[in-house]
mmCIF file of all heavy atoms in Angstrom:
data_model
loop_
_atom_site.group_PDB
_atom_site.id
_atom_site.type_symbol
_atom_site.label_atom_id
_atom_site.label_comp_id
_atom_site.label_asym_id
_atom_site.label_seq_id
_atom_site.Cartn_x
_atom_site.Cartn_y
_atom_site.Cartn_z
ATOM 1 N N ASP A 48 100.430 96.215 102.512
ATOM 2 C CA ASP A 48 99.846 96.901 103.665
ATOM 3 C C ASP A 48 98.952 95.974 104.516
ATOM 4 O O ASP A 48 98.071 96.450 105.207
ATOM 5 C CB ASP A 48 99.003 98.094 103.189
ATOM 6 C CG ASP A 48 99.846 99.153 102.517
ATOM 7 O OD1 ASP A 48 100.963 99.398 103.005
ATOM 8 O OD2 ASP A 48 99.410 99.717 101.524
ATOM 9 N N TRP A 49 99.182 94.670 104.433
ATOM 10 C CA TRP A 49 98.353 93.699 105.143
ATOM 11 C C TRP A 49 98.366 93.987 106.621
ATOM 12 O O TRP A 49 99.428 94.270 107.171
ATOM 13 C CB TRP A 49 98.909 92.299 104.879
ATOM 14 C CG TRP A 49 97.928 91.233 105.233
ATOM 15 C CD1 TRP A 49 97.744 90.698 106.461
ATOM 16 C CD2 TRP A 49 96.978 90.653 104.383
ATOM 17 N NE1 TRP A 49 96.753 89.788 106.427
ATOM 18 C CE2 TRP A 49 96.255 89.723 105.159
ATOM 19 C CE3 TRP A 49 96.649 90.798 103.052
ATOM 20 C CZ2 TRP A 49 95.234 88.958 104.626
ATOM 21 C CZ3 TRP A 49 95.632 90.022 102.525
ATOM 22 C CH2 TRP A 49 94.935 89.123 103.304
ATOM 23 N N PRO A 50 97.256 93.949 107.355
ATOM 24 C CA PRO A 50 95.891 93.657 106.951
ATOM 25 C C PRO A 50 95.038 94.898 106.685
ATOM 26 O O PRO A 50 93.835 94.828 106.543
ATOM 27 C CB PRO A 50 95.339 92.908 108.162
ATOM 28 C CG PRO A 50 95.995 93.565 109.329
ATOM 29 C CD PRO A 50 97.389 93.933 108.820
ATOM 30 N N ASP A 51 95.679 96.073 106.639
ATOM 31 C CA ASP A 51 94.956 97.326 106.443
ATOM 32 C C ASP A 51 94.130 97.314 105.168
ATOM 33 O O ASP A 51 94.599 96.867 104.114
ATOM 34 C CB ASP A 51 95.965 98.494 106.409
ATOM 35 C CG ASP A 51 95.293 99.834 106.417
ATOM 36 O OD1 ASP A 51 94.298 99.992 107.173
ATOM 37 O OD2 ASP A 51 95.742 100.724 105.701
ATOM 38 N N GLY A 52 92.887 97.795 105.258
ATOM 39 C CA GLY A 52 92.018 97.892 104.096
ATOM 40 C C GLY A 52 91.432 96.578 103.624
ATOM 41 O O GLY A 52 90.943 96.464 102.499
ATOM 42 N N ARG A 53 91.450 95.563 104.459
ATOM 43 C CA ARG A 53 90.947 94.246 104.070
ATOM 44 C C ARG A 53 89.908 93.775 105.076
ATOM 45 O O ARG A 53 89.974 94.099 106.249
ATOM 46 C CB ARG A 53 92.112 93.243 104.001
ATOM 47 C CG ARG A 53 92.991 93.523 102.820
ATOM 48 C CD ARG A 53 94.380 92.901 103.019
ATOM 49 N NE ARG A 53 95.156 93.029 101.813
ATOM 50 C CZ ARG A 53 95.910 94.105 101.526
ATOM 51 N NH1 ARG A 53 95.958 95.104 102.334
ATOM 52 N NH2 ARG A 53 96.615 94.124 100.405
ATOM 53 N N GLY A 54 88.968 92.980 104.562
ATOM 54 C CA GLY A 54 87.954 92.482 105.464
ATOM 55 C C GLY A 54 87.005 91.516 104.780
ATOM 56 O O GLY A 54 87.166 91.202 103.610
ATOM 57 N N ILE A 55 86.042 91.071 105.543
ATOM 58 C CA ILE A 55 85.058 90.110 105.104
ATOM 59 C C ILE A 55 83.676 90.623 105.452
ATOM 60 O O ILE A 55 83.460 91.132 106.552
ATOM 61 C CB ILE A 55 85.278 88.737 105.810
ATOM 62 C CG1 ILE A 55 86.674 88.235 105.549
ATOM 63 C CG2 ILE A 55 84.219 87.745 105.373
ATOM 64 C CD1 ILE A 55 87.125 87.200 106.530
ATOM 65 N N TRP A 56 82.794 90.548 104.483
ATOM 66 C CA TRP A 56 81.400 90.924 104.722
ATOM 67 C C TRP A 56 80.560 89.704 104.403
ATOM 68 O O TRP A 56 80.834 88.974 103.437
ATOM 69 C CB TRP A 56 81.009 92.073 103.818
ATOM 70 C CG TRP A 56 79.595 92.507 103.995
ATOM 71 C CD1 TRP A 56 79.137 93.475 104.821
ATOM 72 C CD2 TRP A 56 78.442 91.924 103.386
ATOM 73 N NE1 TRP A 56 77.773 93.520 104.779
ATOM 74 C CE2 TRP A 56 77.327 92.586 103.875
ATOM 75 C CE3 TRP A 56 78.244 90.903 102.470
ATOM 76 C CZ2 TRP A 56 76.020 92.280 103.489
ATOM 77 C CZ3 TRP A 56 76.980 90.584 102.074
ATOM 78 C CH2 TRP A 56 75.885 91.286 102.590
ATOM 79 N N HIS A 57 79.576 89.411 105.233
ATOM 80 C CA HIS A 57 78.637 88.343 104.900
ATOM 81 C C HIS A 57 77.222 88.725 105.347
ATOM 82 O O HIS A 57 77.054 89.531 106.250
ATOM 83 C CB HIS A 57 79.055 86.971 105.445
ATOM 84 C CG HIS A 57 79.015 86.850 106.951
ATOM 85 N ND1 HIS A 57 77.864 86.778 107.668
ATOM 86 C CD2 HIS A 57 80.020 86.760 107.838
ATOM 87 C CE1 HIS A 57 78.134 86.642 108.955
ATOM 88 N NE2 HIS A 57 79.448 86.661 109.090
ATOM 89 N N ASN A 58 76.250 88.175 104.641
ATOM 90 C CA ASN A 58 74.871 88.450 105.009
ATOM 91 C C ASN A 58 74.523 87.692 106.282
ATOM 92 O O ASN A 58 75.301 86.836 106.738
ATOM 93 C CB ASN A 58 73.902 88.116 103.858
ATOM 94 C CG ASN A 58 73.797 86.640 103.552
ATOM 95 O OD1 ASN A 58 74.614 85.829 103.957
ATOM 96 N ND2 ASN A 58 72.772 86.277 102.810
ATOM 97 N N ASN A 59 73.386 88.004 106.850
ATOM 98 C CA ASN A 59 72.996 87.404 108.133
ATOM 99 C C ASN A 59 72.812 85.885 108.029
ATOM 100 O O ASN A 59 73.049 85.175 109.001
ATOM 101 C CB ASN A 59 71.718 88.059 108.645
ATOM 102 C CG ASN A 59 71.918 89.530 108.935
ATOM 103 O OD1 ASN A 59 73.001 89.958 109.375
ATOM 104 N ND2 ASN A 59 70.932 90.333 108.681
ATOM 105 N N GLU A 60 72.429 85.376 106.852
ATOM 106 C CA GLU A 60 72.225 83.941 106.680
ATOM 107 C C GLU A 60 73.511 83.211 106.321
ATOM 108 O O GLU A 60 73.532 81.990 106.195
ATOM 109 C CB GLU A 60 71.160 83.687 105.589
ATOM 110 C CG GLU A 60 69.759 84.060 105.978
ATOM 111 C CD GLU A 60 69.504 85.550 105.864
ATOM 112 O OE1 GLU A 60 70.162 86.213 105.033
ATOM 113 O OE2 GLU A 60 68.642 86.056 106.602
ATOM 114 N N LYS A 61 74.604 83.977 106.108
ATOM 115 C CA LYS A 61 75.925 83.420 105.748
ATOM 116 C C LYS A 61 75.859 82.668 104.435
ATOM 117 O O LYS A 61 76.509 81.637 104.246
ATOM 118 C CB LYS A 61 76.474 82.543 106.850
ATOM 119 C CG LYS A 61 76.678 83.308 108.157
ATOM 120 C CD LYS A 61 77.239 82.420 109.232
ATOM 121 C CE LYS A 61 77.409 83.224 110.503
ATOM 122 N NZ LYS A 61 77.914 82.403 111.604
ATOM 123 N N THR A 62 75.078 83.175 103.483
ATOM 124 C CA THR A 62 74.993 82.581 102.154
ATOM 125 C C THR A 62 75.517 83.490 101.077
ATOM 126 O O THR A 62 75.572 83.125 99.909
ATOM 127 C CB THR A 62 73.525 82.236 101.806
ATOM 128 O OG1 THR A 62 72.715 83.413 101.891
ATOM 129 C CG2 THR A 62 72.980 81.158 102.733
ATOM 130 N N PHE A 63 75.949 84.699 101.439
ATOM 131 C CA PHE A 63 76.474 85.681 100.503
ATOM 132 C C PHE A 63 77.634 86.394 101.177
ATOM 133 O O PHE A 63 77.460 87.025 102.212
ATOM 134 C CB PHE A 63 75.364 86.675 100.119
ATOM 135 C CG PHE A 63 75.731 87.569 98.948
ATOM 136 C CD1 PHE A 63 75.758 87.076 97.675
ATOM 137 C CD2 PHE A 63 76.025 88.907 99.170
ATOM 138 C CE1 PHE A 63 76.090 87.895 96.603
ATOM 139 C CE2 PHE A 63 76.365 89.727 98.118
ATOM 140 C CZ PHE A 63 76.397 89.223 96.829
ATOM 141 N N LEU A 64 78.849 86.221 100.596
ATOM 142 C CA LEU A 64 80.044 86.772 101.204
ATOM 143 C C LEU A 64 80.761 87.664 100.209
ATOM 144 O O LEU A 64 80.708 87.438 99.002
ATOM 145 C CB LEU A 64 81.036 85.666 101.590
ATOM 146 C CG LEU A 64 80.685 84.708 102.717
ATOM 147 C CD1 LEU A 64 79.763 83.630 102.244
ATOM 148 C CD2 LEU A 64 81.941 84.151 103.296
ATOM 149 N N ILE A 65 81.507 88.638 100.773
ATOM 150 C CA ILE A 65 82.361 89.459 99.936
ATOM 151 C C ILE A 65 83.709 89.565 100.674
ATOM 152 O O ILE A 65 83.758 90.012 101.812
ATOM 153 C CB ILE A 65 81.787 90.877 99.699
ATOM 154 C CG1 ILE A 65 80.393 90.755 99.112
ATOM 155 C CG2 ILE A 65 82.732 91.676 98.825
ATOM 156 C CD1 ILE A 65 79.646 92.082 99.060
ATOM 157 N N TRP A 66 84.763 89.103 100.010
ATOM 158 C CA TRP A 66 86.113 89.261 100.533
ATOM 159 C C TRP A 66 86.639 90.552 99.927
ATOM 160 O O TRP A 66 86.692 90.703 98.719
ATOM 161 C CB TRP A 66 86.998 88.096 100.155
ATOM 162 C CG TRP A 66 86.696 86.816 100.874
ATOM 163 C CD1 TRP A 66 85.805 86.604 101.873
ATOM 164 C CD2 TRP A 66 87.335 85.575 100.617
ATOM 165 N NE1 TRP A 66 85.837 85.289 102.258
ATOM 166 C CE2 TRP A 66 86.780 84.640 101.505
ATOM 167 C CE3 TRP A 66 88.320 85.152 99.758
ATOM 168 C CZ2 TRP A 66 87.178 83.325 101.552
ATOM 169 C CZ3 TRP A 66 88.720 83.816 99.787
ATOM 170 C CH2 TRP A 66 88.152 82.921 100.685
ATOM 171 N N ILE A 67 87.065 91.484 100.778
ATOM 172 C CA ILE A 67 87.569 92.767 100.346
ATOM 173 C C ILE A 67 89.092 92.749 100.391
ATOM 174 O O ILE A 67 89.683 92.558 101.449
ATOM 175 C CB ILE A 67 87.039 93.909 101.252
ATOM 176 C CG1 ILE A 67 85.528 93.818 101.462
ATOM 177 C CG2 ILE A 67 87.482 95.276 100.726
ATOM 178 C CD1 ILE A 67 84.699 93.943 100.201
ATOM 179 N N ASN A 68 89.710 92.956 99.241
ATOM 180 C CA ASN A 68 91.167 93.066 99.084
ATOM 181 C C ASN A 68 91.935 91.879 99.583
ATOM 182 O O ASN A 68 93.048 92.001 100.105
ATOM 183 C CB ASN A 68 91.677 94.349 99.775
ATOM 184 C CG ASN A 68 91.177 95.599 99.067
ATOM 185 O OD1 ASN A 68 91.067 95.615 97.859
ATOM 186 N ND2 ASN A 68 90.885 96.618 99.829
ATOM 187 N N GLU A 69 91.394 90.683 99.403
ATOM 188 C CA GLU A 69 92.135 89.448 99.745
ATOM 189 C C GLU A 69 93.222 89.245 98.674
ATOM 190 O O GLU A 69 94.371 89.514 98.915
ATOM 191 C CB GLU A 69 91.193 88.257 99.836
ATOM 192 C CG GLU A 69 91.884 86.974 100.148
ATOM 193 C CD GLU A 69 91.874 85.981 98.984
ATOM 194 O OE1 GLU A 69 91.300 86.292 97.938
ATOM 195 O OE2 GLU A 69 92.463 84.918 99.111
ATOM 196 N N GLU A 70 92.885 88.804 97.501
ATOM 197 C CA GLU A 70 93.774 88.854 96.332
ATOM 198 C C GLU A 70 93.188 89.838 95.346
ATOM 199 O O GLU A 70 93.879 90.710 94.854
ATOM 200 C CB GLU A 70 93.897 87.467 95.690
ATOM 201 C CG GLU A 70 94.832 86.528 96.389
ATOM 202 C CD GLU A 70 95.000 85.221 95.619
ATOM 203 O OE1 GLU A 70 94.351 85.028 94.587
ATOM 204 O OE2 GLU A 70 95.773 84.393 96.111
#
Side-chain angles (χ1 to χ4, degrees):
D48 295 321
W49 195 275
D51 189 40
R53 289 158 173 88
I55 302 161
W56 180 93
H57 67 72
N58 68 344
N59 297 325
E60 291 79 27
K61 299 181 180 178
T62 57
F63 190 74
L64 291 82
I65 305 170
W66 288 356
I67 310 298
N68 293 324
E69 178 249 359
E70 282 185 357

